[in-house]
Amino acid sequence: MRLSRLVAPLCVAVAACACAPGGGGPPAAGGERTLTVFAAASLTEVFGELGARFEAEHPGTAVEFSFAGSPALAAQLAQGASADVFAAADTASMDLVADAVGVSRGPVVFARNTLRIAVPADNPAGIGSLGDLAADGVDVALCAAQVPCGAASRAVLDAAGAEVEPVSWEEDVKAALARVRLGEVDAALVYRTDVAAAGSAVRGLDFPEAAQAVNDYPIAVVDGASEADLAEAWITLVTSPEGEKILDDAGFDLP
């Protein structure tokens, strides 16, 4: 079984395949069909696992992913990039694609996520609350305001009345988490699923204001998808009991 292939966020490689026009039907002899999925960076681990299962259940099919911040992916699709499925970490990015390109089989919300404070395993700055992120000498990484985790971060900080000036604005939640894992900052605001995926490398701290910013994750088939039937099958897997269990185990809330 071949593991799903991860594609660089801004460069989606489309494998050559001998398919019927419009993506319907089986591949030609010796050919391979490619399902291209654009997905929020916070879905990397879950979709990677689902991709391996999808390939095993659909012989002759490869799943290629482009993981990045949802607005960046939406902008690429609006500018003509090709994908079969789009899964975002916010409804605004999905709305952009729906308006600019069009979507079908949805959009449907398949998961929800909330923020945690990520700190190094030994928490050297002694952070225990959102207010601590505003203390002198505490270095914090935040997602850029235009990406979903950045908008959620601003909402929870406003709810806590904490004025935080980060040392860096990151392009997506994985980049913010990496700053903590590398010991470059004392803390970052990231999704709880990313904390879980990092294992013992970081600690995740709960805070009550997280309930003020819950991110909905919608998914849809992109209009003009070259593999529309595979895209439909992908969404069926993601929203199936099997997919829901994988999402739940990763720390996502189910709608």
Side-chain angles (χ1 to χ4, degrees):
M1 179 176 67
R2 177 178 54 261
L3 291 178
S4 301
R5 291 175 286 186
L6 304 185
V7 184
L10 298 180
C11 182
V12 179
V14 180
C17 57
C19 306
E32 182 178 80
R33 300 177 68 186
T34 300
L35 174 68
T36 303
V37 178
F38 276 27
S42 49
L43 292 167
T44 301
E45 291 81 12
V46 164
F47 272 24
E49 182 175 350
L50 286 169
R53 297 191 184 203
F54 190 86
E55 290 183 347
E57 294 168 2
H58 296 79
T61 296
V63 184
E64 291 191 346
F65 295 107
S66 182
F67 294 111
S70 298
L73 294 172
Q76 291 176 54
L77 290 169
Q79 293 165 9
S82 177
D84 301 304
V85 176
F86 180 44
D90 67 333
T91 55
S93 296
M94 181 61 74
D95 289 344
L96 173 62
V97 174
D99 290 342
V101 182
V103 298
S104 60
R105 179 65 190 275
V108 58
V109 173
F110 66 97
R112 294 189 170 98
N113 215 346
T114 53
L115 296 176
R116 296 294 182 270
I117 303 171
V119 299
D122 56 352
N123 192 11
I127 292 168
S129 69
L130 278 182
D132 292 339
L133 302 184
D136 290 341
V138 174
D139 291 337
V140 179
L142 295 178
C143 294
Q146 65 268 26
V147 297
C149 65
S153 295
R154 179 50 52 202
V156 298
L157 290 170
D158 287 347
E163 296 185 8
V164 176
E165 185 61 38
V167 297
S168 68
W169 298 99
E170 302 298 335
E171 63 184 11
D172 60 45
V173 69
K174 294 297 186 186
L177 182 64
R179 297 296 300 273
V180 178
R181 298 183 66 166
L182 295 172
E184 297 173 348
V185 296
D186 298 307
L189 286 175
V190 303
Y191 295 122
R192 66 180 183 182
T193 53
D194 295 291
V195 170
S200 62
V202 302
R203 287 175 58 190
L205 307 177
D206 293 335
F207 55 90
E209 296 84 358
Q212 302 299 314
V214 179
N215 282 62
D216 285 345
Y217 283 62
I219 190 170
V221 177
V222 180
D223 279 0
S226 61
E227 298 291 355
D229 60 324
L230 290 178
E232 293 268 357
W234 175 262
I235 294 178
T236 296
L237 174 61
V238 170
T239 58
S240 70
E242 179 184 10
E244 289 182 341
K245 183 179 186 307
I246 292 172
L247 288 160
D248 182 64
D249 288 347
F252 286 94
D253 289 324
L254 300 177

